[in-house]
Amino acid sequence: MELVTIDDIRAAAGRIKGVAVRTPLVRMGEAWVKPESLQPVGAFKLRGAYNAVASLRPGGVVTHSSGNHGQALAFAAREFGVPCVVVVPEGTPRVKTAAIEGWGAQVVVVPPEQREIVAGKLAAERGLTLVPPYDHRAVIAGQGTVGLEIVEDLPDVEVVLVPVGGGGLASGVGTAVKALRPDVRVIGVEPELAADAAESLAAGHPVEWGTARTFRTIADGLRTALSDLTFAHISRRLDEIVTVSDDEIRAAMGHLARSARLVAEPSGAVTTAALLSGRVAAGRTVVVLSGGNVDPELFRQVI
């Protein structure tokens, strides 16, 4: 299986320049936060979605998404003037579906287990190009630009913490960081209630928990399973995966708001939760805050 390379990531960086924000490193105590919540769509997903559309130049696109990738693809499709359809699972926060529609895309709501099936059918019926949220080399390369920027902005970084859901962000960040600084520890973080990636690494092959298990976690963006492609990346380019509880995620959201003045959705706060829990080795640490598209009522509760 052909893996993404540092050259792929550098090419992606050229394509997304001027569209995706080069997010800063924000000091939080002894660590730094990479706030991808500052992207125009509120999450890192813009990097991969835009790189994919810019590379493929399709006549129209469709995807399945828990929300953030859908927003990103809708944004990219609007920039290139092509139609976009986003299939989302029932229970997706309204703040995310409203944002997808706001960028001009059509939203189709289906039961969680039907997401990929329906997206595939729509692609065939309407002649659209399927751009999956993580199982695509161009998407992974785009997400890898996060790691590229971390090493460029903090060359002596020692530890990078990155959320793991479907594995696209972790695959890209791990590829970039390890290519530039092989000595840096890249650690994935996922919720205890959706710890399929940790189990997959232990088993030596992708393990899927299913929506009945993963939809228990508050971190709605990390409920997806690894693909063969993302498993191949993270099994070679991550040092380990740690898990955090939903209570720790809530506490981390509040900590980010108070200590770094950053809004984080649950999926974006898992890395800070891991840092605060003491489960990761000490060192010059960067935590990737993957997104800030949080339901307002939930945010009110956690702070």
Side-chain angles (χ1 to χ4, degrees):
M1 182 180 295
E2 186 180 4
L3 302 187
V4 169
T5 68
I6 188 63
D7 289 337
D8 295 326
I9 294 171
R10 286 183 171 131
R15 294 188 190 100
I16 70 173
K17 186 177 182 179
V19 178
V21 173
R22 185 189 176 97
T23 52
L25 293 180
V26 177
R27 197 67 187 258
M28 183 180 67
E30 297 300 313
W32 288 262
V33 181
K34 178 75 166 167
E36 287 296 292
S37 51
L38 301 182
Q39 294 295 345
V41 299
F44 75 96
K45 293 284 191 177
L46 177 60
R47 298 171 181 267
Y50 193 89
N51 185 53
V53 176
S55 303
L56 300 172
R57 296 300 176 101
V61 291
V62 62
T63 194
H64 50 91
S65 169
S66 60
N68 285 338
H69 175 67
Q71 291 184 57
L73 191 63
F75 178 98
R78 192 188 71 164
E79 291 293 297
F80 284 91
V82 299
C84 176
V85 181
V86 180
V87 181
V88 303
E90 295 170 345
T92 298
R94 179 58 189 160
V95 65
K96 293 186 177 182
T97 57
I100 293 170
E101 292 169 337
W103 293 116
Q106 177 189 358
V107 172
V108 177
V109 183
V110 301
E113 66 276 7
Q114 292 292 313
R115 286 173 295 177
E116 295 187 37
I117 296 171
V118 172
K121 287 181 178 178
L122 289 172
E125 292 169 1
R126 304 188 189 183
L128 302 172
T129 297
L130 179 64
V131 181
Y134 52 87
D135 191 24
H136 195 288
R137 293 183 74 256
V139 172
I140 292 173
Q143 320 305 27
T145 59
V146 171
L148 196 66
E149 293 172 10
I150 289 172
V151 175
E152 288 175 352
D153 292 347
L154 190 68
D156 55 351
V157 61
E158 296 175 307
V159 181
V160 175
L161 302 181
V162 59
V164 181
L169 178 62
S171 295
V173 170
T175 296
V177 173
K178 289 295 186 180
L180 300 171
R181 287 287 310 278
D183 56 313
V184 174
R185 288 181 57 76
V186 183
I187 301 173
V189 187
E190 63 181 347
E192 291 176 355
L193 296 178
D196 51 306
E199 185 174 331
S200 296
L201 286 190
H205 58 81
V207 175
E208 189 167 347
W209 278 24
T211 56
R213 296 180 70 185
T214 60
F215 269 61
R216 298 172 299 164
T217 181
I218 191 176
D220 57 287
L222 304 181
R223 293 167 175 167
T224 48
L226 299 176
S227 66
D228 289 339
L229 179 63
T230 55
F231 175 79
H233 282 81
I234 69 169
S235 61
R236 300 178 198 181
R237 293 169 178 170
L238 260 61
D239 291 282
E240 65 175 311
I241 293 180
V242 300
T243 62
V244 292
S245 71
D246 274 23
D247 284 344
E248 288 172 327
I249 294 170
R250 290 185 180 92
M253 292 170 67
H255 183 84
L256 282 160
R258 292 186 296 270
S259 300
R261 294 153 298 282
L262 292 169
V263 174
E265 61 187 273
S267 303
V270 294
T271 47
T272 296
L275 180 71
L276 296 176
S277 73
R279 290 189 183 90
V280 296
R284 293 175 65 81
T285 301
V286 172
V287 298
V288 178
L289 194 173
S290 55
N293 295 315
V294 59
D295 177 77
E297 177 58 24
L298 173 60
F299 189 67
R300 184 192 67 79
Q301 293 172 9
V302 299
I303 62 170

